[in-house]
Structures are given as C-alpha cells and as structure tokens.
Amino acid sequence: MKAIVIDAYGSADLLTPRELPTPPVGPDTVLVRVRAAGVNPVDWKVREGHLAGAFPSHFPLVPGWDAAGVVEAVGPAVAGFAVGDEVIGYVRRDDVQHGTYAELVPAPERCLADKPVRASWPEAAGLPLAGLTAYQALQLARTGAGDTVLVHGASGGVGHLAVQVARALGADRVIGTASEANHDFVRSLGAEPVAYGDGLRDRVRAVAPDGVDVVLDLFGGDALDVSAELIARPARMISTADPEHVTRLCGTYLFVKPSAADLAVLAGLVDAGRLTVHVARTLPLAEAAEAHRLVEAGHVRGKVVLTV
C-alpha cells in the first residue's frame, strides 16, 4: 500500500511517500481503505516527537488519527461492520505506528462509526477528532439550555464545530474568539464573534455583561486567565491545551477519547443538517508535508484534509 511515513522525529520535510506491507488485522480490528484523512495539530506534534512519552511509537511511523473510507476486511470478532461499509474513525490506537495517512489503516472497532450520508469524503474525514473534541468537551461542561458558551478559536478545526455542537446541545448563545478576517465566518456558524488578544475580557463583557456559563479553551495561556474572570463556575471551563494551568484555575482538562457512540451522534447531526464540516483545503496524500505546514501555521479556517 502507499503511505506517508517518517523514520525519525523532526520537520515536515521528513514526511515521505513509501510502499508498505498491508497492515495486520487483529481479531477486533477493521481494515479500512482510506478515501480521505483529516490533518490535525496533534499530527505535527506526533511528527516532532512531543507525544513520544505518552504513547509507544514505532518507526517507520505513519501519522494520522482521522479517516473516512470503506471497510476492506474485518477481524473474526468484529460484529458491527462488514466489507463495503462506509465508515469514519478517530483511529487512536494504544501505540503510534499504523496511522491514517495511508491507503489502508487497521482500526479498532471501538474507533469507528458509519459515515454520515450527507458528508463528502473530505468532510467526513475532517469530522472525527475535531468533532469528538468539541462534543466531549461541551458534554463534560454539561452544556444545555440557557447557557452562554465562549469558544476560543471559533474559526478553527475544533472551534467551528464546537460552535455548532453547542447550539445543537441547546445553548442560548455562543461567543467565539477569532481574527477580524474570520468574523463573518463565525457569524455564519451561529456565534457572536469577538477579537482575541489584549482587551478580550472587556470585549466579552460588552456582549455578555453577566459573563459566560461554559468555556472551551483550545490554546491555554492568557485565554484561560481571561476565561476564569468571565465564568461563574470554573469547573465548566474545559481546556484541551493546558492541563496544569486549567487545573490551577479549578477548570477541567480534556484529552479526546475514541468513542463509536459519540461519533454516531456527530454523524447524526451532520445528516440532520445541524452540523457542517468546513474543509478549507484538500491536498493529495503525497503533499502531506504541505498540509502539515498549513496546520502548523495555525491560521486554517476549518479543516485541512488529505485525499487518498
């Protein structure tokens, strides 16, 4: 199979196309022929070795945790999928080696759900990790009717989905931080945009004088300090970026987990027309290095996706 690999940790220049053997299919594993693979910030962090202390990693290493594709084969203990099924997956295994930047990926059954019918392959591939992060964070904060939700980075991969998911969970208002260039996009998602940076607290207070009920932080640092001054109950402040800082502020850290049930909820929202994945750029698999550079720069509106 064709795949993108690295043989050592380092820059995007190390991402190399290569022919690899077909990966093994375990008893509870689904072999997926990948049609598209989402690119996420964690992918370049894996590439640079930042997660080496958290997950056993093996070279040659195929990056990528997001996939949309067609079931090629199933292990003998797999009950929920059959050859030919169209699926999506947040394919985070217990080790890092057989990633989704490949024609074939072995996915534990627990990582997969049926592909939303209304989504294209790139849209479907952009949904799993970012969508699960948004959904699990907002569920952890018990988001619901009457809530005002503040989403930091509301035009990005996780943020643009979080705005829509918060609305689907019943939030009355969503306020989203974004650059001025992305304010119209944030409005189109159903949020009230505010510029990030110095003076953020006052800008949020101007539109929400009583503060906010829920915060989703994707950056850490100063955004958390400002959020702590705006939220009534710090435990409802969820950060995916800065576990030590958010814990000091009495908030909650989230590291997204694979969940077939949560993926199915997200796919249902897509098919109901309540959730749209914005794909900013699609690139062929061979241009994975360019995709990493785009995501690493941190200015993508929505998602970058590799087509396979």
Side-chain angles (χ1 to χ4, degrees):
M1 68 170 186
K2 294 183 176 67
I4 300 296
V5 304
I6 57 172
D7 294 302
Y9 296 125
S11 73
D13 295 337
L14 297 178
L15 292 162
T16 305
R18 187 178 300 168
E19 289 284 339
L20 292 179
T22 298
V25 181
D28 62 349
T29 301
V30 177
L31 187 66
V32 178
R33 182 162 293 278
V34 179
R35 296 290 299 272
V39 181
N40 296 286
V42 72
D43 296 350
W44 67 259
K45 294 173 185 177
V46 167
R47 188 201 74 223
E48 291 192 345
H50 296 301
L51 274 69
F55 296 94
S57 301
H58 311 281
F59 297 105
L61 188 157
V62 179
W65 283 349
D66 269 353
V70 180
V71 174
E72 181 92 352
V74 297
V78 171
F81 299 99
V83 173
D85 287 349
E86 296 183 348
V87 296
I88 56 174
Y90 169 41
V91 189
R92 178 162 68 78
R93 301 159 57 93
D94 295 329
D95 61 350
V96 179
Q97 183 178 28
H98 298 293
T100 60
Y101 295 7
E103 291 181 317
L104 295 166
V105 62
E109 186 176 12
R110 60 184 169 80
C111 297
L112 300 176
D114 291 332
K115 171 186 171 291
V117 175
R118 291 181 58 164
S120 66
W121 287 112
E123 289 167 345
L127 178 63
L129 188 154
L132 285 172
T133 301
Y135 182 71
Q136 290 176 6
L138 292 166
Q139 287 284 74
L140 187 59
R142 300 185 182 276
T143 305
D147 284 336
T148 296
V149 178
L150 174 61
V151 176
H152 291 292
S155 65
V158 174
H160 88 288
L161 297 176
V163 168
Q164 299 172 75
V165 170
R167 285 295 196 187
L169 291 174
D172 279 7
R173 299 178 68 190
V174 183
I175 299 166
T177 68
S179 66
E180 294 281 356
N182 286 318
H183 279 196
D184 285 343
F185 175 62
V186 171
R187 286 190 191 94
S188 75
L189 300 170
E192 303 164 57
V194 295
Y196 51 73
D198 292 343
L200 174 60
R201 179 186 58 187
D202 293 338
R203 287 191 292 277
V204 174
R205 286 285 187 193
V207 296
D210 295 328
V212 301
D213 302 293
V214 173
V215 171
L216 174 53
D217 163 66
L218 307 171
F219 301 108
D222 293 343
L224 278 172
D225 294 321
V226 170
S227 298
E229 298 178 22
L230 294 166
I231 195 165
R233 294 173 53 199
R236 302 183 80 192
M237 178 170 61
I238 314 298
S239 177
T240 66
D242 202 335
E244 294 182 3
H245 195 169
V246 74
T247 301
R248 284 197 302 271
L249 296 170
C250 300
T252 306
Y253 174 67
L254 172 81
F255 189 79
V256 61
K257 298 175 176 64
S259 170
D262 290 352
L263 269 182
V265 170
L266 292 166
L269 290 175
V270 172
D271 281 336
R274 303 182 71 187
L275 181 62
T276 300
V277 181
H278 178 78
V279 178
R281 186 88 178 269
T282 59
L283 295 164
L285 184 64
E287 295 183 25
E290 176 61 17
H292 271 223
R293 293 185 190 102
L294 287 170
V295 172
E296 197 167 353
H299 302 298
V300 174
R301 179 187 292 179
K303 297 290 300 182
V304 173
V305 175
L306 296 170
T307 55
V308 182

